[in-house]
Amino acid sequence: MRSVLVLNSGSSSLKYQLVDADSEEVLAEGGVQRIGESGATSSHSSGGRRTDGDGRPVADHAEALALVVSAFAEHGPHLDDVDLVAVGHRVVHGGDRSEPTVITDEVLAEIEDLQVLAPLHNRAAATGIRAARELRPDLPHVAVFDTAFFASLPAAASTYAIDAEVAARHRIRRYGFHGTSHAWVSARGAELVGRPLSELRQIVLHLGNGASASAVDGGRPVDTSMGLTPLEGLVMGTRSGDLDPAVVLTLARAGWSTEDLDALLNKRSGLLGLSGVNDFRALMERVDAGDEAARLALDVYVHRLVRYVGGYHALLGGAELLTFTAGVGENAPRLRAAVVQRLRPLGFVLDEEANGADRRDARTISTPDSPVTVAVVPTNEELAIARQALEAVG
Ligand code: AMP
């Protein structure tokens, strides 16, 4: 047996999955949350059994990783028994890098350097990587970048219309994120409809707590909704998505600091800012209870989605496949219906029964004669990272 450990270090969390390199079975998974706070939560699942941690505080990612290693030792499988061949790290910002990269000191320095563009995310990833490399210096560690799939965005899509010299000096352009998911789902979508990826024009909606859309032509990205950072684009759980940049200027002139603005737009906006909840299920419960703020939040969310899909449909010269993925996309049939019904004049015809069916697999949810096929495809970023880490180490 050979296996790959996939680590996803967030600002205050560390999620992991141990994947069998040959069968691709998940051997164990878990996470540590609330790192650096007064009490951490953690869980480890393996062999159909889940164990929760005791809630004691975890100071940093190094300590979190030590906790993970002891969970493996205690509840299995023991890391010495699974022939670990690589550790794959999810890294949000990879700058211009388009390939999974074996992490050297230079690569780590580069990831830290990109903190300017992704302060929360890359700092956490760098901390997690450093801790993991210290713990297992014998193993190759591979960075898989969220931006990689979008490194080949056409210039027309990646360029902001600001002073070109200023943009170049500060590396300001549209990078795109969730690339691992968009690449995975667009490849799966092509398989699902039995068409070569290289010939298919498709739109992918990754709708989780973070949310992004992409237009993919022949397996290559044509446009995506996230930009310099994961803040641009769709309405998200706590992020605003698109707004007039003058909103920021107006608040800055009213005395808001950079940190306050960052927190407002990244953590207190989106569904949360409009309705008081960022969880989509909670939002729908409030909508059903007649809560007007929740209704407006949902309307804004759907409005933005329809606008993006319509725009991408035009950019692609007519999409042939629209795919929903991630927490909301995979599990919220009412949201899918609300979006697709609005797109009916453009040739997206929903099969209500297929859309409402309680299924977890990749499936189509449009009528057989719908000009554009609509599908649901579960994303699997961990498996995608495991595969890429394996490839990178040969
Ligand atoms: P993710 O970031 O992909 O884990 O997605 C998280 C989002 O998916 C949260 O807003 C959840 O409320 C939402 N979600 C998960 N399960 C469901 C469900 N059964 N129905 C509606 N939304 C869901």
Side-chain angles (χ1 to χ4, degrees):
M1 174 197 271
R2 299 175 311 147
S3 68
V4 181
L5 181 63
V6 177
L7 294 181
N8 183 351
S9 305
S11 52
S12 63
S13 67
L14 174 70
K15 291 188 276 182
Y16 60 93
Q17 225 178 60
L18 181 69
V19 180
D20 185 314
D22 302 306
S23 71
E24 300 195 330
E25 184 195 344
V26 177
L27 302 170
E29 63 188 323
V32 184
Q33 283 84 27
R34 297 165 50 86
I35 297 171
E37 295 178 31
S38 56
T41 56
S42 63
S43 69
H44 178 88
S45 303
S46 61
R49 255 200 11 242
R50 176 189 157 122
T51 340
D52 290 307
D54 59 11
R56 92 182 91 138
V58 172
D60 52 27
H61 283 77
E63 216 176 296
L65 204 59
L67 191 68
V68 172
V69 171
S70 62
F72 273 107
E74 208 174 316
H75 307 292
H78 202 289
L79 290 178
D80 292 337
D81 300 334
V82 290
D83 190 15
L84 214 47
V85 291
V87 182
H89 295 266
R90 176 178 182 217
V91 180
V92 166
H93 218 305
D96 298 326
R97 284 189 181 273
S98 58
E99 298 294 331
T101 307
V102 176
I103 300 169
T104 59
D105 290 345
E106 292 73 47
V107 173
L108 184 55
E110 211 179 291
I111 290 169
E112 287 182 312
D113 210 33
L114 287 164
Q115 270 180 37
V116 193
L117 300 178
L120 276 182
H121 294 101
N122 273 38
R123 192 177 306 133
T127 315
I129 290 169
R130 188 168 296 108
R133 285 177 87 209
E134 273 166 23
L135 195 73
R136 293 300 300 262
D138 55 315
L139 290 173
H141 291 254
V142 179
V144 177
F145 302 104
D146 242 23
T147 45
F149 178 60
F150 296 116
S152 64
L153 270 182
S158 66
T159 306
Y160 287 113
I162 63 168
D163 182 318
E165 194 272 321
V166 173
R169 185 160 13 111
H170 294 279
R171 290 189 284 182
I172 290 176
R173 68 170 181 82
R174 306 190 63 252
Y175 291 92
F177 298 85
H178 288 153
T180 306
S181 178
H182 285 277
W184 174 273
V185 170
S186 49
R188 282 281 158 296
E191 278 173 25
L192 177 71
V193 297
R195 292 273 309 280
L197 178 62
S198 59
E199 289 173 11
L200 194 62
R201 299 187 301 277
Q202 46 179 327
I203 298 169
V204 176
L205 298 178
H206 176 112
L207 309 178
N209 206 7
S212 61
S214 68
V216 180
D217 189 352
R220 294 176 66 91
V222 169
D223 202 356
T224 191
S225 59
M226 286 176 166
L228 174 72
T229 76
L231 185 54
E232 191 180 343
L234 302 175
V235 177
M236 307 178 218
T238 65
R239 291 177 227 152
S240 63
D242 294 336
L243 35 82
D244 182 342
V247 170
V248 176
L249 304 180
T250 302
L251 291 174
R253 287 194 192 103
W256 286 59
S257 69
T258 311
E259 277 65 38
D260 288 346
L261 283 165
D262 195 318
L264 173 77
L265 299 177
N266 276 298
K267 296 187 174 156
R268 301 207 316 276
S269 294
L271 297 177
L272 179 69
L274 290 174
S275 74
V277 288
N278 65 298
D279 187 280
F280 202 81
R281 274 165 297 198
L283 180 80
M284 294 308 272
E285 279 166 23
R286 290 195 180 194
V287 170
D288 290 339
D291 182 326
E292 283 186 20
R295 179 77 245 173
L296 176 61
L298 179 63
D299 289 348
V300 177
Y301 188 92
V302 171
H303 178 99
R304 187 85 49 92
L305 277 167
V306 171
R307 211 169 67 186
Y308 266 93
V309 176
Y312 287 177
H313 193 47
L315 277 181
L316 287 164
E320 299 162 288
L321 175 64
L322 167 69
T323 305
F324 289 86
T325 192
V328 176
E330 291 168 32
N331 299 303
R334 283 166 65 195
L335 180 274
R336 294 193 299 258
V339 174
V340 179
Q341 273 152 8
R342 298 271 296 274
L343 296 163
R344 190 173 177 132
L346 300 182
F348 299 70
V349 188
L350 192 71
D351 178 335
E352 304 276 353
E353 202 179 311
N355 181 48
D358 187 16
R359 285 171 58 174
R360 294 281 161 275
D361 54 341
R363 62 211 184 264
T364 59
I365 56 166
S366 49
T367 59
D369 55 359
S370 175
V372 184
T373 305
V374 184
V376 178
V377 172
T379 191
N380 194 338
E381 289 169 285
E382 290 76 15
L383 181 53
I385 292 171
R387 279 190 189 172
Q388 292 179 48
L390 263 181
E391 268 171 40
V393 301

